[in-house]
Amino acid sequence: MLLATSFQNLPPKQGQICYGREIELRLLEQCLTASDRQEDMRICCLYGMRGVGKTYLALEYAHSHINDHKIVLWVSAESSLKLQQSFGEIAHRMGLADDSVQHPDQLCGIVRQWLSNASKKGEKEDCPDWLIVFDNVEDLTLLQAYWPRAYGGSVIITTTSEAVARYYTDSQRTIVIEPFNGETGTQMLLKLTGTDESDSEEKKTAKQVADALGNLPLALDLVGNYVRGLGKPLSSFWLEYPRFEIDFLFNPNLVKWTPAQFEESISRIWALHLYPTALNTNGHLDANSRRLINMLAFLDKGGAPLSLFQANTPEAMLFEGPDVPNEIENLDDLLDNPFNQVLALNGAIMSLRDRALVKLNNNTKQINCHRLVRHAVLKSMGRSTKQSVFNRLVFFLNASFPTQEDGKPLHSKWSSCETLASQVSALLQSYSLYKNDIGHPILLCEVAVRCAWYFLELGHYHAAKQMAEQSIEICDTAIRQGSHPGYSTWEQPGSDFGVSLSEKVRDIRVNNRRHGNPEDDMWIAAAEGNLAVSLMSCGRAEEAYEILLRLRRRDDMKANEDVYLRNTCLCLYMLGRLDEALEVNGEAVDIARLKRGDSSEQVAACYFDLANIHIRKGNMPGALDSLQECLSRRNASMPLHQITAFTLHKTGEAVALEGDCKASIPFYEQALEILTCCECHPGSLCRTAFALAAACQHAGDYERYESYLRIGKSAMSKFYAGKDSALDITPASYDKYVQVGLR
């Protein structure tokens, strides 16, 4: 592999925002050149509120000194995910790692080790001097794992956190970036608007506007580009907005703005682009431009790929989508992509760029807007607009994020996954901030599952776990509030429990089998395994048993040997062949321990089966011991999952069979509490509620008997249309709503 002898990944230089920072640039140069020893690492921190131009100052310095360093690295550091993506990209683009290395910790270590080796090499010959810019560092604990273990290089940090600045540098190496002084702010505004400085009236107006904006670079950039877009002088703008100072500046005597006041000011500047006045009809945004920046406001701060907005067909957007599409309001409008035509997207981007509202990186083909503009755009949106924009983005992302074909890994699609993973994270974050406006985006959870799987393959387990937990929270809230349009139908099990569907899937695979292709044979066998489960569910255990025996003889099915052994045990149990079931159960436990670990769910499932066998054989102590083994594992890994509730239900059933109905009540109550707040079929909730009601009745507690009876009947009303008098309150009648291996 060829290693890069020189490398830089700097974003393109931006516009006027670095205007007037000559003093700060000189200070930055001094910090990064002054050192007692040549081999010391030189560090400088640019600290200040948002919008003063820290990032652009660092970028200006890096571009100006690009020939002074053989290696110049730009690292987005606002989150752990951003740091991992930056170091991964650097490692691959520099040739330090090939595509076989994907784990973020490995890639980070490779880059840090390369810097360290380069510094040691410099003891004998010219050191390949490097510069690293860590942009937007807000959490000092995140950066520590990525800090270079090397000398002889330079580091620039940009941050709004005083704690970060103090931790990494002393006061001599921290440059506080303040808003411009009045003269510089005025000059920048004149330059942005193309106004002749000799025009005293225009210069006076420019000073008034700049002072009203607190001479903050981002605010000046936005207003200056807005006025230039109008094609009118500043004095005309001032006349159109006579209350400018009142509208934009809350305290006319304020010398320094706080971040909150600045954000409010940006919100008001943004309003100029949205709402035309009677005197101004050409300064506001067209519909497509507004649609685009509304979307960008929800997406990743670092930018969104242009591909996200294009080539999204309705069919792709509805992949794994709602079961009842007509429940989603304005679905046709949401699926109508206004940017399918390249000209439409380019036109919207040009309009936004003309007003300095977005930046386009032609190297990465990504578009983004400043975080404060994002904040202002979101603030300007009403509830219905937020919901429709967010839902459209979810459909776009659903169409764009790679899918697993036939359950295969995503390895070949990692590049696309990496591009879009930060967008999934951004939408989940946006949901957490605006959940009262957005509702319950169930489809986003489907996309997040694919993204979490990508993180698992990558070895980024924390991110996968976090994404899964966020998705579970969305679904859990939707279920508790009974609000999940498009996903409202609970299907009653058919008379064949999916046998016909499983047979159809198997037959399709058989008909499409390629001669001599072992992979096709493997997937046919897997389809037969699913058919066996369906056959077991509808009581056809003998047929399922024969299929499972065939599967257990196949070498390509050994990966799931414990699963097939367990299902064989279930068949034997259903056929009443209890001694054989007991023997196979022992094999299943041993293989599951070997393959999955003693604390795994598969071992827990085997203990659940063992309990059922003991109950049928009349060995109640053995059954309770087995259930305790099962419950200890499930409580440790999934305490609020429905299968833990089914284990508690079975424990209550076993205790009741021993004749102690009163002692069974706490187990049933715990099961009901879990089922009430997790995703399960209402029929399974009926089963536990009616079992609990029966236990209370036997214990003589008639008040609680009536209470739990009402809970069961209420759950039944969600899927049963018959008369109340015809209700069956026998718990066993609802076993069919519970997976066969959990009854």
Side-chain angles (χ1 to χ4, degrees):
M1 183 186 302
L2 295 176
L3 299 181
T5 55
S6 63
F7 176 83
Q8 64 90 7
N9 66 331
L10 294 177
K13 286 184 68 172
Q14 307 293 354
Q16 297 287 344
I17 199 84
C18 202
Y19 175 86
R21 293 299 188 190
E22 292 81 6
I23 293 175
E24 288 84 352
L25 274 172
R26 283 200 299 273
L27 289 173
L28 184 53
E29 288 173 349
Q30 291 170 12
C31 282
L32 296 181
T33 54
S35 175
D36 295 335
R37 296 183 303 170
Q38 182 63 31
E39 64 269 20
D40 284 347
M41 188 190 303
R42 298 170 291 280
I43 308 168
C44 187
C45 186
L46 304 179
Y47 161 65
M49 63 190 294
R50 292 190 177 103
V52 291
K54 302 179 299 296
T55 293
Y56 298 104
L57 181 59
L59 191 59
E60 178 71 20
Y61 175 88
H63 274 288
S64 300
H65 293 264
I66 199 165
N67 294 324
D68 298 338
H69 307 277
K70 292 185 178 180
I71 302 293
V72 181
L73 306 181
W74 186 274
V75 177
S76 296
E78 60 197 45
S79 68
S80 176
L81 181 59
K82 285 289 188 181
L83 281 161
Q84 289 173 354
Q85 289 176 339
S86 291
F87 269 73
E89 178 190 353
I90 289 166
H92 288 128
R93 286 184 57 189
M94 285 184 68
L96 302 176
D98 58 27
D99 289 341
S100 66
V101 183
Q102 294 289 345
H103 195 285
D105 292 344
Q106 286 181 285
L107 295 169
C108 172
I110 287 170
V111 175
R112 294 174 73 197
Q113 187 60 49
W114 183 89
L115 291 171
S116 179
N117 292 341
S119 297
K120 291 175 183 176
K121 186 179 179 182
E123 296 173 3
K124 297 182 179 180
E125 55 186 81
D126 289 341
C127 175
D129 191 20
W130 47 265
L131 167 68
I132 301 180
V133 180
F134 289 105
D135 187 38
N136 286 327
V137 181
E138 303 301 331
D139 185 344
L140 61 88
T141 60
L142 288 180
L143 193 55
Q144 290 170 6
Y146 298 86
W147 194 254
R149 303 185 299 250
Y151 298 95
S154 301
V155 178
I156 299 174
I157 298 171
T158 73
T159 184
T160 61
S161 167
E162 187 177 0
V164 169
R166 284 201 310 266
Y167 184 85
Y168 286 103
T169 59
D170 55 28
S171 58
Q172 282 75 35
R173 293 184 179 271
T174 296
I175 302 173
V176 181
I177 311 300
E178 299 280 9
F180 289 143
N181 59 40
E183 180 61 26
T184 305
T186 301
Q187 291 295 329
M188 179 179 177
L189 194 54
L190 289 170
K191 188 169 183 177
L192 282 170
T193 56
T195 303
D196 186 353
E197 188 178 344
S198 64
D199 189 326
S200 59
E201 186 63 31
E202 290 299 312
K203 187 173 182 179
K204 178 181 177 183
T205 304
K207 185 178 188 313
Q208 290 174 306
V209 174
D211 288 346
L213 293 171
N215 291 295
L216 288 156
L218 177 62
L220 293 166
D221 198 36
L222 286 169
V223 171
N225 281 282
Y226 173 79
V227 173
R228 186 185 63 196
L230 292 177
K232 298 179 180 179
L234 273 166
S235 54
S236 296
F237 167 78
W238 189 256
L239 288 173
E240 290 173 17
Y241 294 94
R243 294 170 54 84
F244 184 84
E245 290 187 50
I246 297 173
D247 288 341
F248 286 81
L249 191 60
F250 293 90
N251 181 354
N253 299 316
L254 195 64
V255 177
K256 291 186 179 181
W257 284 23
T258 66
Q261 288 166 321
F262 177 46
E263 291 188 11
E264 185 66 27
S265 170
I266 296 297
S267 297
R268 292 177 180 271
I269 297 168
W270 165 243
L272 297 180
H273 293 288
L274 289 181
Y275 310 115
T277 67
L279 297 174
N280 168 28
T281 57
N282 69 335
H284 64 292
L285 294 174
D286 61 83
N288 267 357
S289 300
R290 287 189 62 178
R291 288 189 187 102
L292 181 57
I293 201 163
N294 283 348
M295 290 183 181
L296 292 173
F298 281 113
L299 294 170
D300 182 32
K301 302 180 187 74
L306 296 180
S307 58
L308 178 62
F309 305 101
Q310 296 178 299
N312 293 323
T313 65
E315 293 76 18
M317 285 191 258
L318 286 171
F319 175 78
E320 296 290 351
D323 302 314
V324 192
N326 59 8
E327 289 184 352
I328 297 181
E329 191 175 348
N330 300 320
L331 179 61
D332 290 340
D333 290 338
L334 294 174
L335 299 180
D336 181 21
N337 183 2
F339 304 117
N340 260 336
Q341 299 297 321
V342 176
L343 288 177
L345 180 60
N346 288 345
I349 292 172
M350 287 176 63
S351 176
L352 295 172
R353 290 182 75 186
D354 285 345
R355 293 164 171 79
L357 293 172
V358 301
K359 307 291 183 184
L360 178 64
N361 189 324
N362 287 313
N363 293 330
T364 62
K365 302 299 181 187
Q366 290 205 334
I367 183 173
N368 74 299
C369 59
H370 194 283
R371 65 189 65 200
L372 291 178
V373 175
R374 294 173 75 254
H375 172 86
V377 172
L378 287 166
K379 193 171 182 181
S380 74
M381 279 190 253
R383 180 173 184 173
S384 61
T385 303
K386 276 196 182 82
Q387 189 174 56
S388 63
V389 171
F390 189 91
N391 286 338
R392 174 174 271 161
L393 273 173
V394 171
F395 280 116
F396 279 18
L397 202 52
N398 185 50
S400 303
F401 202 94
T403 61
Q404 289 177 274
E405 298 172 5
D406 296 324
K408 295 178 183 178
L410 287 165
H411 291 158
S412 62
K413 304 175 181 178
W414 275 6
S415 178
S416 297
C417 292
E418 181 182 6
T419 301
L420 294 168
S422 60
Q423 310 306 325
V424 180
S425 297
L427 285 191
L428 287 169
Q429 176 64 22
S430 293
Y431 164 78
S432 68
L433 295 173
Y434 302 103
K435 61 179 70 174
N436 292 333
D437 296 330
I438 290 169
H440 309 297
I442 305 298
L443 183 58
L444 177 58
C445 301
E446 161 58 33
V447 183
V449 166
R450 281 180 259 157
C451 189
W453 187 264
Y454 156 68
F455 282 135
L456 278 174
E457 290 184 10
L458 198 63
H460 191 181
Y461 303 117
H462 176 73
K465 178 174 180 289
Q466 184 181 42
M467 194 161 281
E469 288 174 343
Q470 289 173 303
S471 301
I472 290 169
E473 180 191 354
I474 292 173
C475 293
D476 182 58
T477 304
I479 291 166
R480 282 189 283 104
Q481 296 183 2
S483 174
H484 34 82
Y487 301 84
S488 63
T489 301
W490 282 105
E491 296 287 345
Q492 291 207 47
S495 58
D496 70 349
F497 286 82
V499 170
S500 59
L501 179 60
S502 296
E503 288 176 333
K504 183 178 180 181
V505 171
R506 179 202 56 190
D507 292 344
I508 289 172
R509 292 196 180 280
V510 169
N511 292 333
N512 290 320
R513 171 201 270 158
R514 292 163 292 184
H515 180 69
N517 190 310
E519 191 171 305
D520 287 354
D521 292 337
M522 181 188 70
W523 286 112
I524 291 169
E528 286 201 314
N530 293 333
L531 174 59
V533 174
S534 296
L535 289 167
M536 290 160 58
S537 298
C538 65
R540 295 161 63 179
E542 190 70 53
E543 296 171 69
Y545 180 69
E546 295 300 323
I547 292 174
L548 290 165
L549 286 181
R550 291 199 303 271
L551 293 175
R552 286 168 55 193
R553 297 189 197 106
R554 297 180 62 101
D555 289 337
D556 56 2
M557 293 289 105
K558 290 298 183 183
N560 290 319
E561 184 180 7
D562 54 329
V563 176
Y564 295 132
L565 278 168
R566 191 214 166 194
N567 287 343
T568 302
C569 171
L570 283 171
C571 287
L572 291 168
Y573 167 79
M574 294 169 70
L575 293 168
R577 296 157 60 175
L578 300 182
D579 289 336
E580 292 176 77
L582 201 58
E583 182 180 348
V584 174
N585 179 266
E587 291 182 62
V589 171
D590 291 341
I591 297 297
R593 278 201 179 100
L594 183 64
K595 287 182 174 292
R596 323 288 180 184
D598 183 64
S599 61
S600 66
E601 161 54 24
Q602 196 60 32
V603 171
C606 292
Y607 274 114
F608 188 91
D609 300 338
L610 182 59
N612 269 327
I613 296 170
H614 283 316
I615 289 173
R616 185 79 68 86
K617 290 172 74 72
N619 180 8
M620 301 313 296
L624 289 171
D625 287 344
S626 299
L627 286 168
Q628 184 56 47
E629 291 283 354
C630 175
L631 199 57
S632 65
R633 287 165 173 80
R634 286 176 171 168
N635 269 329
S637 60
M638 48 184 71
L640 299 179
H641 196 281
Q642 59 176 340
I643 65 173
T644 304
F646 297 150
T647 310
L648 288 162
H649 178 103
K650 177 59 71 173
T651 306
E653 185 180 299
V655 172
L657 286 171
E658 279 200 307
D660 194 347
C661 288
K662 187 173 183 180
S664 72
I665 291 175
F667 295 104
Y668 284 133
E669 285 182 326
Q670 291 178 65
L672 186 63
E673 183 179 355
I674 295 172
L675 292 173
T676 302
C677 64
C678 77
E679 184 175 5
C680 65
H681 194 288
S684 63
L685 195 149
C686 289
R687 184 179 77 133
T688 299
F690 290 146
L692 187 49
C696 290
Q697 186 180 38
H698 280 97
D701 191 340
Y702 296 104
E703 184 177 347
R704 292 168 76 192
Y705 162 74
E706 292 290 343
S707 173
Y708 290 126
L709 203 60
R710 284 194 297 273
I711 291 174
K713 290 180 179 180
S714 174
M716 180 177 280
S717 68
K718 296 179 180 178
F719 66 98
Y720 178 73
K723 295 182 179 179
D724 189 69
S725 59
L727 287 178
D728 186 350
I729 61 172
T730 307
S733 300
Y734 299 89
D735 280 347
K736 63 183 179 182
Y737 298 108
V738 177
Q739 187 179 332
V740 64
L742 296 167
R743 296 174 185 170

